[in-house]
């Protein structure tokens, strides 16, 4: 996993490091009492901690659901309040369009409105944010470790057992839960990634998405093909209009994806990435959303 953001931060995780982190977080979840069928929720930027948390939860047979930190309190509670998560993993803030945005007060309010929540884990995405009393048992990401190291184990699940809970847009009332099964999700994603996209272990795949959009779930499944994932969190036009193409060049991205709205904005801005960037590694450009 290659993790980038608009502040210029670049973190890298090998598959071995990813495995080790999933092992640690899964063991911590088990110690907390998370079992098969429990819901684990994320309120996180598009960062490696989100992927680690999802993989850890799924190894137990728990169900993962996530919201983007740009959601308001009602937007989060309308979604997560329906599924009663046992554990919430949340960020203390994020960056967007050059702005530093704290989420500590929002997280505190959210935790108080979620019934059945046992534990809060805070990812210190803003390193200079002062800690607060969230009114619930809380620890930070680094401190969320088991009392004794445990080998990663996998709880057997049925093909139709739930893996993800996603949500409708909420434009016609309270967002409606959409459950995706473990077997169906993996089968569909491998079909789309390996066959439709021709993804392999030699590829570096990028998709501009948040953790509140289904394309995040789709991107994570690229790990099944042994591929490299490049993540970006922030505005797609900050600190420069070309930031996503800059990353595609710097990281030798071979599959580049975004929404139709993003490409329309690039067109309006007069961007010509094929003339301004060395994109010799790029094999495919993907789009979702409105008709092209």
């Amino acid at each position: 996993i290659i993790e980038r953001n608009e502040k210029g931060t670049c973190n890298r995780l090998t598959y071995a490091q990813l495995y080790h982190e999933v092992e640690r977080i899964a063991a911590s979840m088990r110690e907390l009492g998370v079992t098969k069928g429990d819901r684990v929720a994320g309120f996180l930027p598009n960062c490696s901690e989100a992927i680690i948390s999802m993989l850890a939860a799924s190894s137990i047979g728990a169900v993962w659901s996530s919201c983007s930190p740009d959601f308001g309190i009602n937007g989060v509670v309308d979604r997560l309040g329906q599924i009663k998560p046992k554990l919430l993993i949340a960020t203390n803030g994020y960056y967007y369009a050059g702005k530093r945005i704290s989420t500590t007060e929002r997280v505190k309010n959210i935790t108080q409105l979620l019934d059945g929540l046992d534990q809060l884990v805070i990812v210190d995405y803003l390193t200079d944010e002062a800690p607060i009393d969230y009114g619930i048992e809380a620890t930070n990401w680094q401190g969320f470790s088991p009392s004794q190291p445990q080998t990663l184990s996998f709880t057997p699940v049925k093909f139709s057992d739930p893996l993800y809970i996603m949500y409708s847009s909420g434009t016609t009332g309270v967002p409606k839960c959409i459950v995706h099964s473990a077997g169906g999700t993996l089968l569909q994603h491998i079909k789309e990634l390996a066959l439709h996209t021709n993804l392999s272990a030699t590829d570096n795949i990028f998709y501009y998405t948040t953790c509140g959009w289904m394309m995040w779930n789709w991107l994570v499944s690229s790990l099944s093909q042994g591929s490299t994932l490049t993540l970006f969190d922030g505005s797609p036009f900050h600190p420069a209009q070309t930031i996503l193409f800059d990353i595609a060049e710097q990281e030798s991205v071979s599959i580049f994806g975004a929404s139709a709205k993003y490409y329309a904005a690039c067109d309006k801005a007069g961007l010509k990435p094929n003339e301004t960037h060395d994109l010799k590694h790029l094999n495919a450009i993907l789009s979702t959303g409105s008709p092209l």
Side-chain angles (χ1 to χ4, degrees):
I1 295 173
I2 301 169
E3 181 184 348
R4 304 280 297 261
N5 65 22
E6 65 175 43
K7 293 283 287 182
T9 302
C10 182
N11 296 318
R12 297 174 186 269
L13 277 179
T14 65
Y15 268 81
Q17 291 168 328
L18 175 62
Y19 189 98
H20 177 74
E21 278 294 278
V22 171
E23 188 171 58
R24 175 177 72 90
I25 298 301
S28 303
M29 289 181 180
R30 288 182 186 275
E31 276 198 1
L32 182 63
V34 174
T35 59
K36 181 180 176 181
D38 284 338
R39 277 74 62 203
V40 177
F43 181 65
L44 293 165
N46 186 15
C47 58
S48 57
E49 288 88 351
I51 296 178
I52 292 163
S53 300
M54 184 283 291
L55 293 173
S58 66
S59 74
I60 299 170
V63 187
W64 174 258
S65 187
S66 57
C67 294
S68 173
D70 61 341
F71 285 17
I73 295 170
N74 291 340
V76 176
V77 175
D78 284 350
R79 290 166 172 80
L80 301 185
Q82 298 183 64
I83 69 171
K84 295 182 170 58
K86 177 176 282 189
L87 169 65
L88 175 64
I89 301 171
T91 183
N92 66 350
Y94 63 100
Y95 300 99
Y96 194 85
K99 297 178 180 177
R100 177 190 178 281
I101 302 169
S102 171
T103 57
T104 52
E105 288 299 328
R106 244 185 301 159
V107 170
K108 181 176 181 178
N109 289 322
I110 290 165
T111 58
Q112 293 170 353
L113 294 170
L114 292 179
D115 293 334
L117 188 65
D118 290 345
Q119 174 84 34
L120 172 66
V121 175
I122 293 293
V123 174
D124 294 320
Y125 199 77
L126 300 182
T127 56
D128 58 346
E129 183 74 2
I132 67 168
D133 180 4
Y134 289 96
I136 186 175
E137 186 174 345
T139 185
N140 64 13
W141 179 259
Q142 290 74 20
F144 192 50
S145 296
S147 56
Q148 295 292 332
Q150 298 179 30
T151 301
L152 184 62
S153 59
F154 297 90
T155 301
V157 298
K158 296 178 181 177
F159 191 94
S160 59
D161 280 345
L163 171 70
Y164 290 133
I165 298 175
M166 288 176 278
Y167 307 91
S168 64
S169 63
T171 53
T172 57
V174 176
K176 298 166 184 66
C177 294
I178 303 167
V179 179
H180 283 195
S181 66
T185 297
L186 188 60
L187 189 64
Q188 179 69 13
H189 284 180
I190 288 178
K191 179 185 78 174
E192 293 177 359
L193 290 163
L195 299 182
H196 296 186
T197 314
N198 201 29
L199 185 73
S200 72
T202 61
D203 282 306
N204 182 344
I205 183 169
F206 168 84
Y207 220 104
Y208 178 68
T209 181
T210 68
C211 293
W213 191 26
M214 57 176 277
M215 294 313 300
W216 179 85
N217 308 70
W218 186 85
L219 177 64
V220 172
S221 291
S222 301
L223 294 169
S224 70
Q225 304 306 298
S227 308
T228 297
L229 275 62
T230 294
L231 314 178
F232 177 78
D233 192 76
S235 166
F237 297 107
H238 188 88
Q241 287 184 317
T242 58
I243 181 62
L244 298 191
F245 295 112
D246 296 343
I247 291 171
E249 177 181 330
Q250 293 161 10
E251 302 296 350
S252 300
V253 168
S254 54
I255 297 170
F256 181 102
S259 66
K261 184 177 180 180
Y262 169 75
Y263 295 121
C266 290
D267 183 38
K268 186 176 180 180
L271 301 187
K272 298 182 184 297
N274 202 39
E275 297 176 7
T276 58
H277 293 71
D278 179 3
L279 301 175
K280 62 178 177 291
H281 295 93
L282 192 60
N283 296 326
I285 293 178
L286 308 179
S287 179
T288 54
S290 56
L292 296 176

